[in-house]
Amino acid sequence: MYELILLAPVHEVETLSEALDALDALSVSVEDADAHTPAEQALFGEPGMPPPKAGWERSRMVALFATEALARDAASVLALQEFFAGCQLVAVQAVPEQDWVRLTQSQFTPVEITPDFWIVPTWHEPPAQAKQVIRLDPGLAFGTGTHPTTRMCLQWLAGQGAAGKSLGRVLDYGCGSGILAIGAAKFGALDIDAVDIDEAAVGATRANAEANHARLQAGLPDKAVGAYQTVLANILATPLRVLAPLLCAHVEKGGNLVLAGILERQADELKAAYLPYCQLQVHQQEDGWILMTAQF
């Protein structure tokens, strides 16, 4: 395999991508050319909402080709096009042989939630200071503990446990990998429902719960029945707005609603959507994401 690496301004990325596809590129990836520098641009968005920007002003494009000849031929053809005037050829290079399993595993190391609560892949030993551990490997369902939204939810659960507060009956709505439901079990919850619209997520939740000796019920959303002391939903702002009446109807008096998957700039619209039912507050923020909570 060979990589053709290019630099392109944002307005030429789409045209270049289409041209590379026509030139038999096996794949094309686009990233911020200034990543890991002071000029890096963080772009956050979500499905159904207009992106804050079309892309990065300086984009690094990597096209994968089956042979060196194909990669070099593509570079030669692109160089002759008018739209390539503002672009730059960086390199044509062989993709080094890799042990892809080991490489993937090396990218997932233990994640600290609190000093004594960690998410640990099965190929790692837990840190010596870890008193609570969730064993979780990356898979098809969202939630490994590396994303700020997941971390903040788990930190909230850990905080409840540290304060000696009962989580009571727990609902994890949009459970993904089941990591929040498993976290609730680690901090004393005994009656836990984890639901998701994706059957693959339901299967992943059951498997991960079994691996962590966590007792819970996983299923599709119609399995969420009655009132809960703790309702967790780490999804995205748009579905959270739509789900406001449903989620709030599941919270018992004196219970807690915990919402994540929300960007800082979306705080006011979430507060407005939930105002008929509760007073949402920003509980925590990290890297442009926020955790919002309400007590009923």
Side-chain angles (χ1 to χ4, degrees):
M1 296 290 184
Y2 281 79
E3 292 177 333
L4 169 59
I5 304 175
L6 307 167
L7 288 179
V10 64
H11 61 274
E12 297 295 4
V13 167
E14 186 173 354
T15 302
L16 264 177
S17 296
E18 292 174 353
L20 287 163
D21 182 58
L23 290 165
D24 295 327
L26 300 174
S27 68
V28 180
S29 62
V30 185
E31 60 189 41
D32 186 357
D34 297 312
H36 312 298
T37 75
E40 180 176 8
Q41 292 180 300
L43 301 181
F44 297 117
E46 64 176 87
M49 298 289 288
K53 289 185 179 180
W56 297 283
E57 292 302 320
R58 282 176 13 99
S59 294
R60 183 178 185 268
M61 302 183 66
V62 180
L64 187 65
F65 288 88
T67 67
E68 181 178 8
L70 285 171
R72 293 197 180 280
D73 286 348
S76 298
V77 171
L78 290 173
L80 299 173
Q81 309 306 311
E82 289 185 11
F83 62 77
F84 198 75
C87 305
Q88 178 185 340
L89 171 63
V90 176
V92 173
Q93 61 189 32
V95 177
E97 291 293 327
Q98 296 273 11
D99 182 335
W100 293 106
V101 172
R102 288 186 178 275
L103 179 62
T104 300
Q105 290 181 346
S106 72
Q107 296 170 347
F108 291 91
T109 57
V111 177
E112 179 181 349
I113 303 303
T114 70
D116 56 5
F117 177 29
W118 291 70
I119 312 301
V120 184
T122 55
W123 53 82
H124 279 281
E125 287 298 315
Q129 68 269 35
K131 296 178 182 177
Q132 285 284 12
V133 172
I134 296 178
R135 286 290 198 175
L136 198 71
D137 295 340
L140 295 178
F142 175 80
T144 60
T146 59
H147 196 277
T149 60
T150 308
R151 261 199 316 275
M152 288 189 291
C153 289
L154 290 170
Q155 287 166 353
W156 184 90
L157 289 169
Q160 296 296 107
K165 297 179 180 178
S166 171
L167 295 169
R169 188 173 184 230
V170 174
L171 173 62
D172 179 4
Y173 200 97
C175 57
S177 67
I179 189 170
L180 301 186
I182 295 167
K186 294 287 184 181
F187 289 100
L190 299 176
D191 188 357
I192 306 166
D193 288 335
V195 302
D196 203 292
I197 60 173
D198 185 351
E199 291 189 359
V202 173
T205 294
R206 288 175 179 154
N208 289 330
E210 183 177 354
N212 284 278
H213 310 290
R215 295 180 59 187
L216 56 81
Q217 297 75 236
L220 298 176
D222 60 0
K223 296 297 184 184
V225 177
Y228 298 82
Q229 172 69 20
T230 304
V231 174
L232 306 154
N234 180 18
I235 317 176
L236 286 171
T238 298
L240 286 175
R241 285 199 305 272
V242 174
L243 290 168
L246 184 150
L247 293 176
C248 292
H250 278 305
V251 187
E252 67 182 32
K253 186 175 181 181
N256 291 291
L257 178 65
V258 181
L259 306 179
I262 307 162
L263 298 170
E264 285 183 279
R265 58 183 169 84
Q266 296 169 323
D268 288 343
E269 62 191 83
L270 264 294
K271 286 180 180 179
Y274 281 78
L275 189 58
Y277 316 101
C278 63
Q279 294 277 346
L280 268 185
Q281 301 294 329
V282 176
H283 178 80
Q284 190 177 347
Q285 68 85 27
E286 182 181 342
D287 293 342
W289 298 92
I290 55 175
L291 182 75
M292 303 190 78
T293 61
Q295 187 164 33
F296 281 65

